[in-house]
Amino acid sequence: MDRWVRVEKRAVSKDNPEGQCCSPRSKVERGGGAGELYPMLSVEEASQQLLSHFHVLEPEPVPVLESLDRVLAEDVYADADIPPLDNTAMDGYALRAADTKGAAPESPVELHIVADLAAGYVSEIPVTPGTAIRIMTGAPIPRGADAVVPFEDAEREGDRVLIFKGVEPGANVREAGEDVRRGALVLRRGCRIRPQEVGMLATVGRKDVSVTRRPRVAILATGDEVVEIDAPLGPGKIRNANSYSNAAQVLAAGGEPVLLGIAHDQVEDLTAKIRSGIARKVDMFLTSGGVSVGDFDVVKKVLAAEGEMTFWRVRMKPGKPLAFGRIGGVPMLGLPGNPVSAMVSFELLARAAIFKMLGQTDSERPTIQATLMDGIKRKDDRRHFVRVRVWEKDGAYEAAMTGEQGSGILSSMVEANGLAIIPEDWSSVPPGSRVRVMMLGGTPPRSGQEGDR
Ligand code: AMP
Ligand code: MG
């Protein structure tokens, strides 16, 4: 039996502030299978509904080096001034700036060297008028000294030194606390830890640090035609690309994929595999395939029978057939089966859920404005995410489609470094249109290096 989904109201979005409809096609969409009426949601509506099901996970301590690429779960404060004491930025002579007044190559000032000081030691001998201490980078400025003249501007003669250049007080001196003051907030909760954050943690004495636990994400492929990557490719079979591309996306976002293999297009097998996945204490469940309106699209059926389905279908291309709900207390996202749809809908919906669970504050992919070289034909009023290659030319960005845009064409995804966003209410996209492009990592190469990835 055919079922019809009536879309009551066109979504209002940033790209479509009036919620305009451009084509009568959007009024009524053919649906089916789930036995209920589900309005097709905008990307924003779907994302908002989905994200309301996720919360920040609990923190866990890790040794500082293992915190790389994790999300900081605590605010970190400095336990001491950094650097702890005034010290020299150069190898040279610590002295009183006043003693160097008028020093020049033709009229050097002569001082008596009273000590040698290496980094890591404090001089007990002070600098008094007419004296200097030979000092190495990082060593604390001796009492009485207020400046350092580098070796390049001095010449040693036995226990005396000739200074060829006058300096002001403070010259070549790094002040105590000039980097960080004791008690200052040095790292904020919610940041992704890069090598520089690791360095800061080390410098404030943090051997261990609190990071958010990695979200565990179950990944289950569906389809009688899908076989594992090391299985023979029999007639009518295809390899399981989605579990691996989605798992890689989970890893890149900071989650921990839990691969559950492939379920047959059969309620019993899918139900059993979903139940066993949930038993593995996951924070999110991803399936791919089986959410469309075909005879064997059983994911929606199982989602509705075992849990509840919140929404189905999003006004986007690729990726329209997409189901979301909960099973056994776990939010479950049924991604479409086509490999590009599965990846793009992960990008737009699942990735943000992982970032929310991690408590990461800046999670948006950067977007840029680019001039699109190609024209794009529109056949519907969904938001299109077009695989493009972006490059920089004369200080501006240009983009070109990477090839066929079918939702099964993974090669044009491989060539892409961004997704051009064509808003729902654009009826045509002529060549030369200015478009917003969501970058998929990395910055656009310069013109002439378009082949670089
Ligand atoms: P479905 O939505 O299940 O009808 O799948 C749509 C298309 O995606 C079909 O051509 C499937 O063969 C393909 N597909 C489904 N699952 C996978 C997978 N795990 N890896 C690669 N292709 C898949
Ligand atoms: Mg299928």
Side-chain angles (χ1 to χ4, degrees):
M1 187 178 71
D2 275 338
R3 297 187 191 276
W4 297 80
V5 172
R6 186 167 295 278
V7 178
E8 302 295 348
K9 197 170 135 242
R10 181 65 206 273
V12 175
S13 69
K14 218 187 326 170
D15 297 312
N16 182 18
E18 271 83 50
Q20 280 171 348
C21 287
C22 333
S23 124
R25 198 199 302 264
S26 65
K27 293 272 191 239
V28 175
E29 297 274 351
R30 192 172 160 183
E36 282 172 10
L37 299 179
Y38 290 98
M40 196 189 299
L41 303 184
S42 68
V43 176
E44 286 77 14
E45 287 168 327
S47 172
Q48 208 178 11
Q49 286 196 20
L50 176 140
L51 289 177
S52 71
H53 289 259
F54 293 92
H55 307 280
V56 182
L57 301 179
E58 64 282 3
E60 63 184 13
V62 291
V64 65
L65 194 50
E66 284 169 35
S67 73
L68 183 66
D69 209 31
R70 304 289 299 269
V71 176
L72 190 61
E74 58 172 328
D75 288 334
V76 175
Y77 296 89
D79 66 333
D81 280 347
I82 304 165
L85 295 170
D86 290 354
N87 68 93
T88 173
M90 305 279 281
D91 296 325
Y93 293 91
L95 39 67
R96 297 165 69 253
D99 283 355
T100 68
K101 201 156 183 263
E106 57 289 350
S107 56
V109 168
E110 191 176 304
L111 301 173
H112 183 61
I113 301 170
V114 290
D116 263 87
L117 189 62
Y121 301 92
V122 176
S123 173
E124 282 166 15
I125 302 168
V127 168
T128 51
T131 70
I133 289 180
R134 230 173 145 256
I135 191 168
M136 303 302 137
T137 303
I141 300 293
R143 207 158 22 96
D146 61 4
V148 172
V149 169
F151 283 158
E152 297 86 294
D153 297 326
E155 197 175 302
R156 182 178 189 167
E157 282 181 359
D159 64 352
R160 310 196 73 78
V161 59
L162 297 177
I163 305 292
F164 298 112
K165 199 170 168 191
V167 286
E168 295 297 319
N172 302 310
V173 174
R174 300 189 289 213
E175 273 178 45
E178 76 169 15
D179 184 0
V180 169
R181 287 254 168 242
R182 179 194 164 101
L185 177 66
V186 288
L187 298 175
R188 258 179 219 288
R189 168 201 303 257
C191 72
R192 183 74 66 139
I193 298 174
R194 303 167 299 167
Q196 48 269 58
E197 278 80 28
V198 170
M200 182 57 87
L201 287 164
T203 207
V204 299
R206 297 300 303 268
K207 199 161 182 293
D208 301 294
V209 64
S210 180
V211 296
T212 317
R213 172 172 72 76
R214 286 186 194 282
R216 283 168 59 78
V217 181
I219 297 179
L220 178 63
T222 73
D224 287 0
E225 77 281 30
V226 183
V227 296
E228 260 319 330
I229 49 180
D230 53 354
L233 206 51
K237 306 294 180 191
I238 55 162
R239 294 201 179 95
N240 178 9
N242 296 351
S243 289
Y244 294 91
S245 55
N246 287 152
Q249 288 176 302
V250 167
L251 280 171
E256 184 185 313
V258 179
L259 288 169
L260 300 175
I262 304 160
H264 287 290
D265 290 322
Q266 188 210 18
V267 170
E268 294 71 30
D269 189 38
L270 185 61
T271 305
K273 293 213 161 84
I274 288 179
R275 284 184 187 164
S276 76
I278 287 177
R280 292 178 66 177
K281 297 212 174 325
V282 292
D283 303 292
M284 171 158 66
F285 209 114
L286 295 179
T287 60
S288 67
V291 278
S292 197
V293 290
D295 292 348
F296 302 101
D297 290 331
V298 291
V299 170
K300 298 196 302 290
K301 218 179 266 177
V302 172
L303 180 55
E306 292 282 300
E308 56 180 334
M309 188 156 95
T310 312
F311 66 77
W312 173 50
R313 301 181 320 147
V314 180
R315 195 177 298 284
M316 60 192 254
K317 182 182 173 171
K320 177 177 77 168
L322 182 150
F324 178 74
R326 289 181 85 89
I327 285 190
V330 178
M332 178 178 139
L333 185 57
L335 300 169
N338 277 304
V340 179
S341 310
M343 285 197 76
V344 171
S345 35
F346 180 103
E347 266 301 317
L348 298 173
L349 296 167
R351 182 175 177 274
I354 293 177
F355 277 80
K356 182 165 180 189
M357 286 189 273
L358 287 170
Q360 182 166 346
T361 39
D362 58 330
S363 58
E364 298 255 315
R365 289 269 192 208
T367 64
I368 52 141
Q369 287 284 333
T371 303
L372 189 60
M373 300 288 119
D374 317 86
I376 295 176
K377 288 205 178 73
R378 301 269 294 170
K379 289 202 217 100
D380 58 41
D381 62 350
R382 288 185 270 156
R383 190 177 304 174
H384 283 209
F385 294 90
V386 180
R387 282 148 263 169
V388 294
R389 176 116 212 103
V390 187
W391 64 90
E392 190 208 307
K393 192 178 172 196
D394 303 330
Y397 294 119
E398 296 178 344
M401 271 165 38
T402 51
E404 284 299 320
Q405 297 286 318
S407 52
I409 309 290
L410 202 49
S411 49
S412 54
M413 189 69 175
V414 170
E415 291 299 320
N417 63 355
L419 294 173
I421 305 166
I422 311 299
E424 293 87 324
D425 58 354
W426 286 19
S427 50
S428 67
V429 188
S433 298
R434 295 282 292 162
V435 292
R436 200 153 60 90
V437 181
M438 183 173 104
M439 296 305 296
L440 295 174
T443 48
R446 288 257 174 82
S447 174
Q449 302 173 314
E450 290 96 292
D452 295 355
R453 281 209 206 112

